[in-house]
Amino acid sequence: MAKQLYLNLPVKDLDKSVAFFTALGFSFNPDFTDENATCMIVNDDAFVMLLKEGFFTTFTSKPIADTAGSTEAIMAFSVESREAVDETVRKALTAGGTPSQEAQDYGFMYNHSFQDPDGHLWEVMWMDPAGPPADAAP
């Protein structure tokens, strides 16, 4: 059985976050959605739980990271092509996200990034299925 991944992220405005990620093509599991949280489906084994900040704090005694001045993590997901990387970032910026880093092109791998409306960092990547060239340094 494959292990499943559930990433929990605090959000200020759940409806705004759902609208933002819907614009990027993600869908949500209604069985795990209520006024405090929703389950964003990445794939069959990976999910992002978007939790209103007040609800999020019931799961930890640590303060929520201030994304305006610090980074708690960088979430990354893959897409099917270089063009899809750029298109996903364009959609993110149009839907209310902000730029993060410039695109990086490694030949066999290409990535670009954005910040969601809550300041969480997201990286969109494409990698050649053949992998890095045989002569690439580790």
Side-chain angles (χ1 to χ4, degrees):
M1 180 175 155
K3 294 188 186 316
Q4 293 184 324
L5 173 69
Y6 289 85
L7 172 68
N8 296 281
L9 286 179
V11 299
K12 291 178 184 0
D13 183 328
L14 188 58
D15 292 335
K16 183 176 182 178
S17 293
V18 168
F20 176 80
F21 287 107
T22 298
L24 299 185
F26 288 99
S27 60
F28 300 84
N29 183 336
D31 294 335
F32 297 101
T33 298
D34 62 20
E35 68 279 355
N36 287 311
T38 191
C39 178
M40 184 172 85
I41 302 166
V42 177
N43 63 40
D44 290 343
D45 293 311
F47 310 89
V48 177
M49 297 299 300
L50 302 174
L51 309 173
K52 281 187 173 180
E53 287 182 342
F55 186 57
F56 183 90
T57 62
T58 67
F59 295 94
T60 181
S61 59
K62 292 182 178 183
I64 294 174
D66 177 3
T67 57
S70 63
T71 301
E72 81 275 56
I74 300 173
M75 285 62 70
F77 61 94
S78 62
V79 293
E80 64 278 357
S81 68
R82 291 172 178 267
E83 295 78 19
V85 169
D86 292 332
E87 180 60 21
T88 301
V89 171
R90 273 193 294 278
K91 286 179 181 178
L93 300 179
T94 299
T98 56
S100 186
Q101 301 292 322
E102 293 295 321
Q104 297 174 330
D105 190 345
Y106 300 100
F108 72 98
M109 184 172 72
Y110 178 72
N111 63 291
H112 202 176
S113 57
F114 62 88
Q115 295 179 52
D116 69 22
D118 288 287
H120 302 296
L121 302 176
W122 291 86
E123 187 172 275
V124 187
M125 62 162 299
W126 168 83
M127 189 178 311
D128 185 331
D135 61 348

